[in-house]
Amino acid sequence: MKLKPLIVFVSALAVLSIIVFVVRRPEAPASADARVGAPVVEAALIEQATKLRIVDQANTVTLTRGADDSWRVEEYHGLRADFSKLAQLVSSVAEAKITRFVSARSEILSRLDFGDRRIEFFTTNDRSLAMLVLGKNADTGGRYIKFGDESRAYLANLNVWLDAVPKNWADTRLLSLKPEDVAHIEISLPNEKPLTFSREKAGDPWTTAELPENRSIVETKISALVSSLVHLRFSETTAPDDEAAVAARAHTRSFRLTTFDGAAYTVALGRKPEEKKLKTPEPGSADFLKNSPVNPDGSVKPIEPKPELPEFETIPAGPVYVFITAADEKEPVNEAMRQRAYQVSEYSFTSLPQGASEFFEEKEKPAASAETSEAPAGES
């Protein structure tokens, strides 16, 4: 091989190596950036926040803190936010720290997937306290982040999942009670008188004035019913005057719960029942022409001796709604019920007791004494 072409080839490789080094040259040591080792967002700033906005591409959710310190979901009818979910997100941000400076070069930033994904904290007057822009997760752990409009990327030991769907942030619990809080329950039954059960304190056996002779109370049945009522969660909401909600209100089963401290709540569940409706053929359809007294050519059909039986269509039962009323007008659940109508699972309704007999069972017969069982036959 001639020397000159070899020299040209080597020179070209040297130039290429220099270009690669320039493009991939390491950044300044992490310790040179004052942010390294600092919290992603200072706890003091988070404590000042009265509004939190989460953005993930086209989805946005805004959580605001009210005068009563409860958080609300602005984009979902102003319903209460799930505080445990909010606390988990805030804790993840507050505990995260910046582990190193990554880059300020646009060609590197473009590879870190900084789309429109961010978490922003605001004060009462909508002044931004901190904006955290999120990139992709790093292969070695942690997440790439930027601050506001800055063109500097960092790596932080941050582990968050951005949920920017407003409905997912609503607190689906409808009552802030525990089963052990309930001292008294009145149960409505189809075509029967209501049943009432009471207890002196949590853990005591339930008692009732309606106890049938030679029967005992099925404690587990009452406990299961109380638990299902206090733990009700909604799956969807509609306007209070929604047709399905209005129909459900007309077909409810109600239960009244009274706590040991005297608070009372009426919980009613209902839905529009299944309906069988006479099927009317549409004009122009085959069934319509078949049942018409006139043939398509205008001639009159002969009267059939036996008319066909009418056809019925079944309209399914509507969704199940729950309606809750607290005796204390100031209870938050009353305002929530005025805002929206709440759908719950079908099982919440179909599992309700259908008769008083479900709460009672035959008393166990006392065991025969040893003397009686061992006495010889015929001995008196």
Side-chain angles (χ1 to χ4, degrees):
M1 185 176 184
K2 292 183 180 181
L3 184 59
K4 186 175 179 181
L6 180 60
I7 293 173
V8 172
F9 178 74
V10 171
S11 298
L13 285 178
V15 172
L16 181 60
S17 298
I18 292 170
I19 293 173
V20 171
F21 174 80
V22 170
V23 172
R24 297 186 177 180
R25 72 184 185 275
E27 298 285 347
S31 59
D33 194 297
R35 278 181 169 152
V36 175
V40 167
V41 179
E42 293 287 347
L45 291 178
I46 294 177
E47 290 173 2
Q48 296 175 41
T50 57
K51 180 183 288 188
L52 172 65
R53 180 170 294 137
I54 303 164
V55 177
D56 186 4
Q57 309 299 345
N59 294 324
T60 299
V61 60
T62 309
L63 309 175
T64 56
R65 188 173 70 189
D68 61 351
D69 284 336
S70 66
W71 289 79
R72 303 277 175 170
V73 188
E74 282 190 7
E75 293 87 355
Y76 197 68
H77 317 293
L79 296 184
R80 280 179 175 261
D82 185 337
F83 186 76
S84 61
K85 183 173 181 176
L86 173 60
Q88 184 177 4
L89 173 67
V90 171
S91 295
S92 296
V93 174
E95 293 169 5
K97 291 187 177 181
I98 300 168
T99 56
R100 68 179 176 89
F101 170 68
V102 177
S103 182
R105 297 208 303 274
S106 59
E107 67 270 19
I108 293 181
L109 296 182
S110 65
R111 298 201 297 266
L112 302 183
D113 196 19
F114 284 110
D116 192 11
R117 286 184 295 271
R118 65 185 188 271
I119 303 170
E120 192 166 7
F121 297 89
F122 298 88
T123 60
T124 306
N125 58 2
D126 283 349
R127 179 173 63 86
S128 179
L129 292 168
M131 182 193 293
L132 194 61
V133 182
L134 305 184
K136 66 180 182 179
N137 292 313
D139 294 336
T140 56
R143 191 158 189 169
Y144 297 110
I145 64 170
K146 293 194 305 179
F147 295 96
D149 297 328
E150 293 183 13
S151 298
R152 296 172 64 82
Y154 296 86
L155 182 66
N157 59 347
L158 176 66
N159 182 21
V160 293
W161 173 60
L162 284 191
D163 185 354
V165 179
K167 176 185 171 183
N168 295 347
W169 280 92
D171 187 351
T172 57
R173 296 178 306 163
L174 291 165
L175 282 172
S176 55
L177 293 179
K178 297 177 181 177
E180 54 267 30
D181 296 333
V182 179
H184 179 95
I185 179 172
E186 181 178 319
I187 304 166
S188 70
L189 296 166
N191 306 314
E192 293 185 44
K193 291 182 179 179
L195 269 178
T196 58
F197 293 93
S198 302
R199 56 185 176 180
E200 291 296 323
K201 62 180 185 295
D204 279 3
W206 292 94
T207 62
T208 180
E210 294 95 0
L211 183 64
E213 188 176 357
N214 295 324
R215 295 275 171 173
S216 60
I217 296 172
V218 182
E219 295 278 337
T220 55
K221 187 73 175 181
I222 305 169
S223 298
L225 176 60
V226 169
S227 181
S228 67
L229 293 174
V230 302
H231 288 145
L232 278 171
R233 288 180 175 268
F234 69 82
S235 55
E236 188 57 86
T237 72
T238 62
D241 59 354
D242 180 85
E243 183 180 348
V246 172
R249 192 182 285 274
H251 300 86
T252 57
R253 295 272 311 280
S254 63
F255 305 84
R256 186 173 175 82
L257 304 172
T258 305
T259 65
F260 287 105
D261 59 6
Y265 305 86
T266 299
V267 181
L269 295 105
R271 66 175 175 181
K272 182 182 178 181
E274 181 182 274
E275 182 182 0
K276 289 193 179 296
K277 196 174 182 180
L278 182 63
K279 190 175 182 180
T280 306
E282 295 182 6
S285 68
D287 287 340
F288 180 82
L289 295 174
K290 177 182 173 182
N291 295 322
S292 172
V294 180
N295 291 313
D297 62 0
S299 60
V300 178
K301 290 181 180 179
I303 299 175
E304 297 182 5
K306 292 183 179 180
E308 295 183 6
L309 295 175
E311 290 185 41
F312 289 86
E313 60 178 334
T314 301
I315 301 174
V320 178
Y321 283 83
V322 61
F323 308 96
I324 301 175
T325 306
D328 183 354
E329 181 57 32
K330 296 179 181 179
E331 281 272 5
V333 70
N334 289 329
E335 178 58 29
M337 290 292 145
R338 286 189 285 268
Q339 287 179 286
R340 304 292 290 169
Y342 299 85
Q343 291 182 25
V344 294
S345 70
E346 182 177 5
Y347 181 75
S348 301
F349 186 75
T350 57
S351 63
L352 293 177
Q354 298 300 308
S357 60
E358 296 181 36
F359 294 96
F360 305 108
E361 60 186 356
E362 189 175 356
K363 277 186 177 180
E364 291 186 6
K365 294 181 180 180
S369 65
E371 293 182 1
T372 303
S373 60
E374 293 175 3
E379 182 174 336
S380 57

